[in-house]
Amino acid sequence: MVYAYTTVDAATGTSEAVCEALADVENIVDAHIIAGDFDVMIELKGETPHDVLETITTSVRPLEGVGTTRTYIAID
């Protein structure tokens, strides 16, 4: 199993809606509004790194309000 974390730069006022939209997406473990350079932190899982990439590409980036994303694959 591969675990990863993705940070999302969300448009002003959309962080809560982004988190709510991700709540039932397969392979997304959790999503939180955060403070700092990004607005949302997502924890993901998949059988392969490609599964994680596919989830980001098909379920996260198309959401209204989602701007820049950064994904980090856990190595431990």
Side-chain angles (χ1 to χ4, degrees):
M1 185 67 60
V2 174
Y3 288 92
Y5 298 89
T6 296
T7 56
V8 176
D9 185 17
T12 302
T14 64
S15 296
E16 188 172 343
V18 168
C19 286
E20 288 174 3
L22 298 172
D24 296 324
V25 173
E26 185 177 0
N27 292 336
I28 293 184
V29 176
D30 217 345
H32 298 278
I33 298 170
I34 60 171
D37 292 334
F38 288 85
D39 304 301
V40 175
M41 173 77 75
I42 306 166
E43 181 180 358
L44 303 99
K45 66 179 181 178
E47 291 299 317
T48 67
H50 184 268
D51 293 337
V52 171
L53 175 62
E54 185 173 338
T55 299
I56 296 299
T57 302
T58 62
S59 299
V60 176
R61 287 187 182 151
L63 292 175
E64 186 166 339
V66 170
T68 301
T69 63
R70 298 276 190 270
T71 300
Y72 305 90
I73 303 290
I75 57 172
D76 66 348

